[in-house]
Amino acid sequence: MTAKQMLPIIPDNILVNKIYELRDLKVMLDSDLAELYGVETKRLNEQVSRNPDRFPEDFMFQLTEEEWLNLKSQIATSSWGGRRKLPYVFTEHGILMLSSVLNSKQAIQVNIQIVRIFTRIRQLFSENTELKLEIEEIKKKLSNHDKNIELVFGYLDKLIDQKSKPRKRIGFMPDEL
């Protein structure tokens, strides 16, 4: 394969479906990454364990039993066969660091694609945050409008109560005639 030839690009929806949210972080499973890179999960984790300084806790961490059970129920994996150890997950920075320990052309290309998707997700999130802030401002304005309308109705009720009482006559004549 020449340097200009590109490996087949993985559809974005497949990559996006392999991104999970755990501990308020967007992460990918070691097994999913290994599949995308075209290596065995065991080999990927082997490379990571050979370079522990490159993967601090905020780049990669091992799931707890409870997190793994919750995640398995979300992704509908089978309960038979499978893993002997709890899986590792990689944050966006951990995935970037994987490119330094996995040097195949496929790993590099997939890494670039994953980073682009994480960037798009972050951009969508920031756009949604702006929308949420605008909606909150509108809610506050509506809340103020509701209070003002209640105040106006209160004044109207007072005026209606005053109309129902007999009024005093104006002028020099006594009221009781």
Side-chain angles (χ1 to χ4, degrees):
M1 181 183 311
T2 66
K4 298 222 177 202
Q5 283 181 316
M6 298 286 288
L7 294 166
I9 294 178
I10 299 163
D12 287 351
N13 63 334
I14 290 175
L15 289 175
V16 169
N17 288 334
K18 294 182 182 288
I19 298 173
Y20 304 100
E21 187 162 335
L22 292 167
R23 301 182 192 177
D24 292 329
L25 297 168
K26 300 268 189 254
V27 297
M28 292 184 76
L29 284 169
D30 57 358
S31 56
D32 289 341
L33 287 166
E35 178 186 339
L36 293 169
Y37 294 149
V39 297
E40 292 179 24
T41 306
K42 180 168 110 177
R43 298 294 167 231
L44 181 132
N45 288 331
E46 207 172 73
Q47 287 299 324
V48 169
S49 64
R50 288 181 182 165
N51 297 281
D53 295 340
R54 293 179 184 258
F55 296 96
E57 186 74 17
D58 57 328
F59 282 26
M60 175 202 83
F61 55 90
Q62 192 168 23
L63 296 180
T64 64
E65 187 71 39
E66 184 180 339
E67 287 170 332
W68 177 230
L69 290 174
N70 286 337
L71 192 59
K72 275 197 328 189
S73 68
Q74 288 177 26
I75 57 178
T77 58
S78 66
S79 58
W80 55 275
R83 307 181 73 110
R84 293 184 186 154
K85 296 180 181 177
L86 292 170
Y88 289 97
V89 292
F90 294 83
T91 65
E92 180 179 1
H93 300 298
I95 293 167
L96 283 170
M97 193 57 73
L98 276 174
S99 66
S100 67
V101 295
L102 299 172
N103 291 320
S104 73
K105 289 184 187 280
Q106 182 175 349
I108 292 168
Q109 186 172 348
V110 169
N111 243 10
I112 291 169
Q113 194 175 355
I114 291 171
V115 169
R116 286 182 177 149
I117 287 176
F118 270 102
T119 304
R120 273 191 255 145
I121 289 172
R122 201 170 32 257
Q123 184 179 9
L124 285 172
F125 181 74
S126 70
E127 288 172 2
N128 284 340
T129 303
E130 289 173 14
L131 282 175
K132 287 179 184 178
L133 290 173
E134 287 179 26
I135 289 170
E136 287 302 316
E137 279 183 44
I138 292 170
K139 284 181 181 178
K140 285 178 186 176
K141 286 181 183 177
L142 289 176
S143 175
N144 287 337
H145 288 309
D146 288 346
K147 290 175 186 173
N148 290 339
I149 290 171
E150 284 181 36
L151 189 63
V152 167
F153 279 122
Y155 287 137
L156 287 174
D157 287 340
K158 287 180 184 177
L159 286 173
I160 291 171
D161 287 344
Q162 286 177 355
K163 275 189 175 179
S164 62
K165 295 178 186 173
R167 293 179 12 167
K168 290 186 178 183
R169 290 178 44 176
I170 300 175
F172 296 108
M173 300 293 277
D175 285 335
E176 300 165 7
L177 274 184

